[in-house]
Amino acid sequence: MGPKSSLLLAGVAASLCLAAPLAASVKDGVDAWSRGDYEAAVAEWQGPATQGDPDAQFNLAQAYRLGRGVPTDMDRAREMYRAAAANGHVKAADNYGMLLFQEGKREDAMPYIRDAADRGDPRAQYILGLAHFNADLAPKDWVRAYALMTLSHAAGLPQAASALTQMDSFIPTEQRQMAQSLAAEIKTASDARRTAVLAQADLAQPATPVEDATPRVPRRVATAPIAPSNASGPSYMPATAGADFVATPASSSATQTAPAPVPAVRQAAAGTGPWAIQLGAFGVPGNAEKLWSKLSGRPELAGAKKIFKPSGKVTVVLAGGFDSRDAAGTACQKLKASGQDCLVTRN
């Protein structure tokens, strides 16, 4: 082995000696954090963070955000999240995007929000779903909006249930049904992407990061209903919490009036025929009951039977028992004339 080869091997050995203490230092900090010794943890992470270790940078960001071991310092936390994200730390990128959004820097935040949503983050799916619904920072796409909000709701984000309830009032039944298929496609793709990204991150980041106490999307600070604004969907203003939204007042065009009475539809065998009218599809089951309670007394549905049919993550509401397609079609036309969306189907 020549001198040149010896020098190369010596360089490799030196780099390994440097890498091992660095990783150990980050891990020592995690152990200290787990014991509740936050000051010791921060001390362990300072050096590696300065040298560009993304785990140490992320953990320091958490410490500064939570005020553990150091005074709360959101500016410092933001900078550490940004540095860790630039070094490929996925959770840091997610938190950085959330902080930017909460601080009102929404355009800067959206690339991070979209990337997090693509990996199945329910907070990001909630924000991106609202963006598509409002045509604000994203193209108007009510099918994708409902799909993203459905996934966020399924993941347990409380705000998503409220958003779905309001979306149910404006998104047509057909689009909500399309959203269920799209939600399944998005989930499959996001699961695959998240697995690939986290596997890659595990290879690059051997140290276990500190607990993921990530910022939560604040609860809605207003209970005003969503109201479509012209043709582009509802509009929102960021609330003081940043990631929250306050609905703008409903326009006069959104005011709903009671439908005028219409003649009952004759049925040869009320409640027993094979045809049905689909009245809605809801991500929140309680809304299905509300719709049936609202419409069951209508003369067009006299003698019809209530049918609730599960379809993926939604409950489909049907009025069944029409003896012919024409009878169901006539009833549906009268419902549409009074403002109630519907479609004829064979049960």
Side-chain angles (χ1 to χ4, degrees):
M1 180 180 297
K4 185 175 181 180
S5 297
S6 298
L7 288 175
L8 289 174
L9 288 175
V12 171
S15 67
L16 290 175
C17 289
L18 288 173
L22 185 66
S25 180
V26 176
K27 177 64 166 62
D28 290 343
V30 173
D31 292 340
W33 183 278
S34 299
R35 295 192 305 269
D37 192 349
Y38 304 125
E39 290 184 1
V42 168
E44 291 286 357
W45 294 328
Q46 293 286 5
T50 301
Q51 296 178 47
D53 183 277
D55 276 335
Q57 291 168 334
F58 171 75
N59 293 349
L60 275 181
Q62 298 285 75
Y64 279 113
R65 187 179 67 79
L66 297 170
R68 295 180 184 174
V70 290
T72 301
D73 187 337
M74 293 307 297
D75 290 337
R76 184 66 173 154
R78 187 193 316 105
E79 178 58 27
M80 286 289 98
Y81 282 135
R82 185 202 63 76
N87 286 327
H89 199 289
V90 176
K91 291 180 180 178
D94 292 352
N95 284 8
Y96 182 56
M98 286 291 168
L99 280 181
L100 290 176
F101 198 90
Q102 290 172 345
E103 292 170 353
K105 302 172 183 176
R106 301 191 304 153
E107 292 186 4
D108 293 337
M110 285 310 292
Y112 295 95
I113 298 295
R114 291 191 187 95
D115 193 54
D118 286 346
R119 284 182 275 100
D121 185 298
R123 303 166 305 167
Q125 290 173 331
Y126 170 83
I127 292 173
L128 187 58
L130 286 178
H132 280 300
F133 186 58
N134 299 326
D136 180 21
L137 300 175
K140 179 183 175 182
D141 187 338
W142 279 6
V143 173
R144 182 165 294 273
Y146 201 84
L148 289 168
M149 201 61 67
T150 298
L151 291 172
S152 181
H153 175 53
L157 193 73
Q159 297 90 324
S162 175
L164 279 175
T165 297
Q166 296 179 71
M167 287 182 177
D168 283 340
S169 300
F170 298 101
I171 299 179
T173 300
E174 295 88 343
Q175 291 188 25
R176 276 180 270 154
Q177 289 182 312
M178 292 168 61
Q180 301 315 304
S181 298
L182 180 58
E185 295 174 9
I186 291 174
K187 187 177 189 309
T188 298
S190 64
D191 287 348
R193 183 173 183 195
R194 183 171 61 254
T195 299
V197 169
L198 293 181
Q200 182 179 7
D202 287 341
L203 292 174
Q205 302 167 11
T208 303
V210 70
E211 64 184 41
D212 185 23
T214 51
R216 296 181 180 178
V217 181
R219 291 183 179 274
R220 293 180 64 87
V221 297
T223 56
I226 294 177
S229 174
N230 299 324
S232 61
S235 58
Y236 285 89
M237 299 179 295
T240 54
D244 227 348
F245 288 91
V246 179
T248 55
S251 64
S252 59
S253 62
T255 303
Q256 296 183 355
T257 57
V262 293
V265 177
R266 253 184 99 77
Q267 300 177 40
T272 61
W275 291 93
I277 302 173
Q278 182 170 310
L279 302 171
F282 299 93
V284 179
N287 289 335
E289 288 286 358
K290 290 179 181 177
L291 181 67
W292 181 257
S293 297
K294 174 184 175 183
L295 298 178
S296 59
R298 294 285 296 270
E300 301 94 325
L301 303 182
K305 62 181 178 181
K306 176 178 73 173
I307 301 174
F308 284 1
K309 182 183 296 184
S311 178
K313 296 183 183 298
V314 300
T315 299
V316 180
V317 183
L318 303 103
F322 291 87
D323 65 330
S324 69
R325 184 184 184 91
D326 288 342
T330 300
C332 186
Q333 287 176 4
K334 291 183 179 295
L335 286 172
K336 285 183 176 179
S338 65
Q340 171 60 45
D341 190 30
C342 62
L343 59 89
V344 175
T345 183
R346 191 177 181 91
N347 186 31

